């Protein structure tokens, strides 16, 4: 009985490409009393693995929190697996505004103490005594009431790229930090103000609204389904958006555009930008905002220190960080002295630029690239700007158009003009051959080499 992944992310990506089927990115949560989270976890893995459902899921005694990718033609079958449990009958599934077949490449279900780390003792208050849920139109109306205080219960790196008009945006690293800060800040408004709260998909507000009612706040409201469901409703019902900018999401896309307003800046040069990058230095992986120009100049790095590090031999990189927190604060979400234009905390709703049409149109309307996976990256010789690949499937010829793709590199298309095959110049390469050719950008071990076979309109 299979209870864990047996395929790597790269192997799964290849299977998804070969299947050629559309997938849906979605999220959901449910609070419930689960007696045996481990058994529940195993049951879900067996059912979802059979449907080729992928994602990152947390289960605990208090419920389930999931972000997933599901084949579109298995959507109803997936819903049936949920409704086999009474507490998930009729559950709302927040389907992403934009779709990406590679949003998740593994099925990871983990048993945790809590489905959201809130730092609260649930035994001290009634977690079921929640705030009033509001749909998009109702939320907009209450937002315009001068007697309303609206609070963003997301983290600084989320609110920086997009938030509701007039929202309090705490400068916090995580959800549990925001609760006492907001409680102290709003002590004088418990009786007479409307406390309106929101988050990405609604799960943080489920607990936060109950907590603030326990703290004595009389009029507590929350956005039903969070920003994801709000976006769906305003599009379907043609309602003006009170949310400005981009909604940060936790798969590899790192954001869905809600409006074409860009309210953030590149953390390195200050240019209007709201695209997040994970630093390419494996000893850092800082999450920060980086424009295309800085991405090219800094090779996806957050600092010159990290840029120098990624060009060292791999063995030296490993040795340098052994036992040390080198570079910036490892895995911290976007706070470093190297980021000169980082803003968080009391954010203004000021449009610095507008996204281009190419950035705002639905991903399903973009040109799709037909491609075949043929190999993987092995090395990059930075001084000579030479990339090395191993051909694993089919072959490659001079004149072929290829796509080099990876989580840090992105998607880069080039035409092969010259290749060096197994130590000699050649016009063709076959499976098993080791090849090198010039590239103007650095490749990484996670990069894959595809041959482009055509394009088609979605």
């Amino acid at each position: 009985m299979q209870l864990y992944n047996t395929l790597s992310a790269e192997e799964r990506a290849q299977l998804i490409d070969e299947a050629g089927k559309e997938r849906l990115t979605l999220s959901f949560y449910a609070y419930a009393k689960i007696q045996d989270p481990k058994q529940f976890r195993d049951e879900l893995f067996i059912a979802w693995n059979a449907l080729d459902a992928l994602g990152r899921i947390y289960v605990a005694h208090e419920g389930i929190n999931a972000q997933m990718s599901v084949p579109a033609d298995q959507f109803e079958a997936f819903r049936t697996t949920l409704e086999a449990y009474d507490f998930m009958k009729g559950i709302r599934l927040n389907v992403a505004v934009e779709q990406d077949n590679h949003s998740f490449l593994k099925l990871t279900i983990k048993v945790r103490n809590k489905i959201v780390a809130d730092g609260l003792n649930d035994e001290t208050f009634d977690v079921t005594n929640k705030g009033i849920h509001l749909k998009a139109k109702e939320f907009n109306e209450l937002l315009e009431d001068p007697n309303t205080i609206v609070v963003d219960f997301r983290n600084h790196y989320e609110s920086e790229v997009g938030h509701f008009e007039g929202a309090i945006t705490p400068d916090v690293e995580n959800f549990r930090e925001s609760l006492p800060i907001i409680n102290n800040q709003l002590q004088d408004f418990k009786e007479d103000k409307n406390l309106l709260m929101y988050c990405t998909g609604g799960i943080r507000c489920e607990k936060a609204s109950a907590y603030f009612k326990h703290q004595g706040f009389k009029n507590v409201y929350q956005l039903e389904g969070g920003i994801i469901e709000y976006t769906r409703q305003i599009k379907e019902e043609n309602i003006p958006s009170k949310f400005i900018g981009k909604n940060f999401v936790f798969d590899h896309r790192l954001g869905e555009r809600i409006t074409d307003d860009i309210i953030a800046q590149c953390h390195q040069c200050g240019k209007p930008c709201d695209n997040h990058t994970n630093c390419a230095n494996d000893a850092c992986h800082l999450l920060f905002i980086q424009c295309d120009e800085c991405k090219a100049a800094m090779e996806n790095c957050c600092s010159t220190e990290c840029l120098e590090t990624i060009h060292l031999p791999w063995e030296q990189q490993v040795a340098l960080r052994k036992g040390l927190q080198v570079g910036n604060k490892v895995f911290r979400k976007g706070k470093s002295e190297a980021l000169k234009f980082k803003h968080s905390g009391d954010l203004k709703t000021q449009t610095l630029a507008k996204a281009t049409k190419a950035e705002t149109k639905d991903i399903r309307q973009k040109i799709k690239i037909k491609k075949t996976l043929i190999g993987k990256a092995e090395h990059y010789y930075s001084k000579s700007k030479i990339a090395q690949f191993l051909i694993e499937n089919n072959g490659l010829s001079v004149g072929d158009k290829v796509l080099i793709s990876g989580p840090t590199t992105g998607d880069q298309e080039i035409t092969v003009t010259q290749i060096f095959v197994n130590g000699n110049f050649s016009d063709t390469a076959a499976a098993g051959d080791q090849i090198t050719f010039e590239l103007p950008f650095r490749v990484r071990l996670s990069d894959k080499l595809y041959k482009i076979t055509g394009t088609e309109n979605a």
Side-chain angles (χ1 to χ4, degrees):
M1 183 183 299
Q2 183 182 338
L3 293 175
Y4 298 93
N5 282 285
T6 57
L7 296 176
S8 67
E10 291 79 8
E11 290 170 328
R12 181 72 69 175
Q14 181 180 350
L15 290 178
I16 289 173
D17 288 339
E18 291 173 352
K21 294 181 178 180
E22 292 295 321
R23 300 180 67 91
L24 299 175
T25 301
L26 54 88
S27 62
F28 64 92
Y29 66 89
Y31 280 100
K33 291 185 178 179
I34 299 175
Q35 296 299 321
D36 188 343
K38 175 62 167 61
Q39 180 181 337
F40 178 56
R41 178 258 175 221
D42 291 348
E43 290 173 1
L44 293 179
F45 192 96
I46 292 168
W48 291 346
N49 189 55
L51 298 176
D52 193 27
L54 308 171
R56 181 176 57 246
I57 303 95
Y58 300 134
V59 298
H61 284 291
E62 67 173 359
I64 180 171
N65 179 18
Q67 294 85 41
M68 301 189 67
S69 169
V70 178
D73 61 2
Q74 296 287 358
F75 181 72
E76 291 305 323
F78 175 75
R79 184 187 289 278
T80 299
T81 67
L82 301 180
E83 298 195 345
Y85 302 90
D86 288 340
F87 72 90
M88 289 196 285
K89 288 187 182 297
I91 192 171
R92 181 186 60 250
L93 301 178
N94 291 326
V95 179
V97 179
E98 299 177 346
Q99 298 302 328
D100 186 325
N101 289 345
H102 292 172
S103 57
F104 292 99
L105 295 174
K106 290 188 177 182
L107 177 58
T108 304
I109 311 178
K110 295 184 177 181
V111 176
R112 293 282 181 88
N113 291 327
K114 287 196 170 189
I115 55 177
V116 175
D118 52 36
L120 298 175
N121 181 355
D122 294 353
E123 303 300 322
T124 62
F125 67 102
D126 183 0
V127 296
T128 67
N129 184 24
K130 298 174 289 192
I132 298 171
H133 288 68
L134 300 178
K135 296 189 181 299
K137 184 178 180 182
E138 299 167 323
F139 188 89
N140 280 2
E141 290 171 353
L142 196 59
L143 194 62
E144 294 175 352
D145 187 333
N147 204 44
T148 294
I149 297 174
V150 60
V151 179
D152 189 325
F153 276 98
R154 300 172 303 152
N155 308 326
H156 65 86
Y157 56 90
E158 300 173 79
S159 58
E160 186 176 7
V161 295
H163 53 266
F164 278 99
E165 298 173 359
I168 296 173
T169 53
D171 186 14
V172 295
E173 293 276 343
N174 52 57
F175 175 51
R176 63 177 171 267
E177 288 182 12
S178 65
L179 295 171
I181 291 174
I182 294 300
N183 187 37
N184 292 333
Q185 189 173 343
L186 302 182
Q187 279 297 307
D188 296 336
F189 306 106
K190 289 183 177 182
E191 299 285 339
D192 56 348
K193 293 289 187 180
N194 301 316
L195 177 55
L196 185 59
M197 57 183 66
Y198 69 90
C199 56
T200 306
I203 187 170
R204 283 175 269 193
C205 292
E206 289 289 291
K207 189 66 71 70
S209 66
Y211 170 77
F212 280 97
K213 290 186 73 173
H214 173 69
Q215 292 296 319
F217 289 82
K218 302 299 184 186
N219 308 307
V220 181
Y221 302 86
Q222 64 192 90
L223 179 58
E224 183 178 71
I227 300 164
I228 296 173
E229 177 64 12
Y230 176 88
T231 305
R232 187 191 68 79
Q233 290 180 19
I234 64 172
K235 289 180 180 294
E236 288 188 356
E237 301 173 28
N238 197 27
I239 299 171
S241 177
K242 296 292 185 179
F243 186 94
I244 305 297
K246 181 183 283 188
N247 180 30
F248 184 93
V249 294
F250 291 89
D251 57 65
H252 83 93
R253 296 170 299 154
L254 299 179
E256 291 184 331
R257 183 157 298 287
I258 310 302
T259 71
D260 61 2
D261 302 276
I262 297 176
I263 64 172
Q265 296 173 278
C266 172
H267 287 165
Q268 293 173 319
C269 73
K271 175 183 176 181
C273 177
D274 55 9
N275 296 324
H276 279 95
T277 293
N278 273 298
C279 181
N281 179 9
D282 286 330
C284 177
H285 284 313
L286 192 79
L287 180 69
F288 66 106
I289 297 173
Q290 187 177 47
C291 69
D292 290 342
E293 288 80 2
C294 289
K295 184 184 288 288
M298 297 295 292
E299 298 183 38
N300 293 61
C301 290
C302 69
S303 63
T304 53
E305 180 183 359
C306 286
L307 179 60
E308 292 169 358
T309 299
I310 67 171
H311 288 293
L312 296 173
W314 178 249
E315 295 77 11
Q316 191 173 344
Q317 291 185 44
V318 173
L320 280 172
R321 68 173 183 262
K322 185 170 290 186
L324 298 174
Q325 294 268 312
V326 300
N328 295 312
K329 294 180 178 178
V330 177
F331 303 118
R332 286 291 289 274
K333 301 297 184 181
K335 287 191 175 181
S336 164
E337 293 181 359
L339 306 179
K340 297 179 181 179
F341 295 91
K342 164 69 180 171
H343 302 292
S344 58
D346 186 18
L347 300 173
K348 308 298 182 184
T349 307
Q350 178 184 359
T351 301
L352 303 178
K354 293 286 187 178
T356 63
K357 290 182 179 180
E359 291 174 304
T360 57
K361 72 177 181 177
D362 193 295
I363 194 167
R364 284 167 289 186
Q365 299 302 316
K366 293 181 180 179
I367 297 295
K368 290 186 176 179
I369 298 174
K370 290 183 176 180
K371 59 186 184 296
T372 301
L373 179 65
I374 60 173
K376 63 181 181 181
E378 291 193 321
H379 193 64
Y380 187 72
Y381 301 92
S382 55
K383 291 185 178 180
S384 54
K385 295 187 175 181
I386 297 290
Q388 179 177 303
F389 295 87
L390 176 65
I391 301 296
E392 298 179 311
N393 307 294
N394 301 309
L396 180 70
S397 300
V398 170
D400 285 343
K401 289 184 177 180
V402 297
L403 175 74
I404 298 166
S405 180
T408 302
T409 304
D411 292 328
Q412 305 280 355
E413 295 180 38
I414 68 160
T415 299
V416 177
T417 58
Q418 190 179 55
I419 51 178
F420 206 61
V421 181
N422 299 327
N424 297 290
F425 285 109
S426 177
D427 290 334
T428 61
D433 287 341
Q434 189 179 68
I435 67 168
T436 56
F437 54 86
E438 288 188 29
L439 275 184
F441 55 87
R442 181 179 183 270
V443 297
R444 295 163 177 83
L445 294 178
S446 56
D447 289 351
K448 298 300 175 186
L449 179 65
Y450 299 86
K451 185 190 316 187
I452 296 175
T453 57
T455 60
E456 61 179 8
N457 285 320

